[in-house]
Amino acid sequence: MNDQTCQRCGEPVELDREDYELFERMHPECFHYAFEHDLTQPGLSVDEDCGDPACPSAA
Ligand SMILES: [Zn+2]
Ligand SMILES: [Zn+2]
């Protein structure tokens, strides 16, 4: 049974329990958007690259 659901987008998260907890019960990319993406550029769209090497929006 998989009861791991993303706190941000609501989709199932297929990660090890440890990793799931590590990312605050979110997908790694959702965690990034929730906590890191607009830190330096408040209000930045999720479609734009925030400059973080780990940014899912990077080309
Ligand atoms: Zn998610
Ligand atoms: Zn980003």
Side-chain angles (χ1 to χ4, degrees):
M1 157 180 179
N2 185 349
D3 62 348
Q4 297 182 168
T5 304
C6 179
Q7 300 300 301
R8 186 168 187 272
C9 72
E11 297 292 322
V13 180
E14 298 191 11
L15 284 176
D16 291 338
R17 190 83 202 177
E18 267 181 35
D19 292 335
Y20 178 59
E21 299 287 347
L22 187 69
F23 287 112
E24 303 286 350
R25 302 181 182 184
M26 296 179 195
H27 295 107
E29 58 269 34
C30 286
F31 178 88
H32 173 79
Y33 288 136
F35 295 110
E36 303 171 336
H37 188 66
D38 66 354
L39 268 187
T40 53
Q41 301 171 74
L44 184 69
S45 162
V46 297
D47 295 326
E48 295 180 78
D49 182 359
C50 66
D52 188 318
C55 186
S57 299

